[in-house]
Amino acid sequence: MPTPTPSSPIKASVIIPVKNGGALFKHVLKSVLEQETPWPFEVLVIDSGSKDGSPEYAESLGVRVHHIAPSSFGHGRTRNLGASLSHGEFIVFLTHDAMPADRSWLHNLVSACELTPRTAGAFGRHLAYPDASPITRRELATHFAGFGQEPVTVFLEDRQRYDREEGYRQFLHFFSNNNACLRRSVWETIPFPDVDFAEDQAWAKKIIEAGYEKAYAPDACVYHSHDFGIIETLQRAFDESRALKRIFGYVLAPSLLSGLRSWAYLVRRDLAWLREDVPAGRQRLVLMLRSPFLAGARIAGQYLGGREDRFPAWMTRIISRDKTIQAK
């Protein structure tokens, strides 16, 4: 990691919120410190009450650690804090379970953010971990393929289409703080909103509507994937659905009938992928039998999340995966 000098100041600040990151966090941090860049960068870890030695490990490597109370954590709030404590021209965000795929990740991500002077931020591609399920691998590959194969910027070119088409709006405001870079000068004007979930997409909506560009960096890859169980899938879908409704007004499961149709689509899609990607045998059979239940949990979470305003607060705390993790 190049040393900053008066003529070569810190170019990028890598900020990693962590809570009980475990062994994976150690690999993530090691990979970040091994990044090869032509300019200096710094790393800052924001710990919110780890009990597994994660902050102590970071400090043993010479990484600066800032401690906050678990109750003060907020996805947007904590990242804004990290940005305010850092010095780089560009602010890079990872989660403690998103591991750079190679030593050029940071350089490629910052370079995407420099594609044009109006580029406010960039996000990179997610790869499934080698042990991820075939369905998880296909979902991630299909999702990120939709953004293209080369570094590119997008901006709000057609306001009428933006107002009319929900899909166009979703494409323009998709962003992921699992693997993202922000231009500090833009963040100082438009920080992350203090929301429970989807602070990255809420921020992207603001910068797109303010006339900035957003970049995609397919060559800035991190390994980041989860094979959730049935309960965790429902909880995750609940969090995503409630956030998308609160922030954007989207309702992912408008009715029981639409939810049933979505469930049928997911089951057909997953079974087709499994036939294509997994040889006939026990593994494929188990995955096929499990697929309808996982799809059902996803749709149930979306349906409940879209109606979260009807529930008492204690019920939301029980259903929400995010709140469950924060409470530990």
Side-chain angles (χ1 to χ4, degrees):
M1 183 167 62
T3 302
T5 66
S7 60
S8 182
I10 293 172
K11 178 84 167 184
S13 301
V14 182
I15 298 170
I16 311 174
V18 65
K19 183 174 183 182
N20 298 324
L24 182 53
F25 169 65
K26 296 181 179 181
H27 292 297
V28 169
L29 196 54
K30 183 173 183 291
S31 181
V32 169
L33 295 173
E34 291 175 348
Q35 290 299 298
E36 296 174 352
T37 64
W39 28 255
F41 65 91
E42 65 176 348
V43 182
L44 171 64
V45 168
I46 307 288
D47 181 76
S48 55
S50 291
K51 300 175 182 177
D52 68 345
S54 290
E56 290 80 6
Y57 176 77
E59 289 171 337
S60 75
L61 298 180
V63 172
R64 184 160 55 111
V65 177
H66 183 81
H67 297 269
I68 62 172
S71 59
S72 69
F73 177 85
H75 287 289
R77 183 189 321 141
T78 299
R79 287 175 172 85
N80 285 335
L81 172 64
S84 73
L85 295 172
S86 64
H87 308 92
E89 178 186 356
F90 294 93
I91 311 163
V92 175
F93 292 100
L94 279 177
T95 49
H96 69 225
D97 57 356
M99 185 167 65
D102 55 43
R103 295 188 179 187
S104 61
W105 157 77
L106 181 57
H107 187 207
N108 291 339
L109 187 58
V110 173
S111 295
C113 214
E114 293 184 296
L115 284 173
T116 74
R118 294 291 293 174
T119 302
F123 68 98
R125 186 156 54 107
H126 297 188
L127 305 174
Y129 277 103
D131 60 351
S133 77
I135 292 174
T136 298
R137 289 199 298 268
R138 281 290 288 262
E139 273 197 324
L140 276 177
T142 300
H143 176 75
F144 284 96
F147 295 105
Q149 302 300 317
E150 301 291 334
V152 64
T153 63
V154 295
F155 59 96
L156 207 173
E157 298 181 80
D158 187 337
R159 184 71 207 204
Q160 290 184 338
R161 182 186 176 194
Y162 183 82
D163 292 339
R164 183 179 65 249
E165 294 183 22
E166 185 176 298
Y168 182 55
R169 294 196 298 274
Q170 290 176 339
F171 173 78
L172 285 180
H173 69 59
F174 177 81
F175 205 70
S176 174
N177 273 340
N178 292 308
N179 181 19
C181 178
L182 277 61
R183 190 182 294 269
R184 180 176 294 275
S185 60
V186 176
W187 169 81
E188 289 173 345
T189 304
I190 309 176
F192 289 115
D194 187 7
V195 294
D196 287 346
F197 201 76
E199 81 295 337
D200 40 14
Q201 297 197 59
W203 179 83
K205 179 178 183 290
K206 287 180 177 291
I207 61 102
I208 285 292
E209 292 179 352
Y212 290 103
E213 299 179 30
K214 178 192 73 171
Y216 172 55
D219 52 354
C221 301
V222 299
Y223 287 101
H224 184 259
S225 61
H226 297 283
D227 287 327
F228 291 128
I230 291 172
I231 298 300
E232 293 171 320
T233 295
L234 186 150
Q235 292 174 320
R236 175 73 181 186
F238 175 82
D239 286 333
E240 180 183 26
S241 179
R242 65 192 285 263
L244 292 180
K245 183 181 179 185
R246 283 186 172 193
I247 299 170
F248 307 108
Y250 304 150
V251 180
L252 298 184
S255 67
L256 289 173
L257 180 58
S258 67
L260 182 61
R261 289 171 177 163
S262 296
W263 173 82
Y265 164 78
L266 287 175
V267 172
R268 288 195 301 269
R269 184 204 67 179
D270 292 352
L271 294 182
W273 283 353
L274 290 170
R275 292 188 194 98
E276 294 172 10
D277 296 345
V278 182
R282 184 178 182 276
Q283 182 192 19
R284 187 165 82 176
L285 177 61
V286 170
L287 291 170
M288 283 184 162
L289 291 173
R290 197 163 179 250
S291 172
F293 296 99
L294 289 173
R298 178 185 296 191
I299 300 304
Q302 291 176 351
Y303 184 85
L304 293 172
R307 292 151 182 81
E308 179 256 351
D309 55 348
R310 306 177 188 178
F311 304 150
W314 63 265
M315 187 175 294
T316 294
R317 288 194 297 270
I318 290 174
I319 301 175
S320 168
R321 172 175 170 77
D322 197 54
K323 292 187 181 299
T324 298
I325 292 173
Q326 291 180 31
K328 289 181 178 179

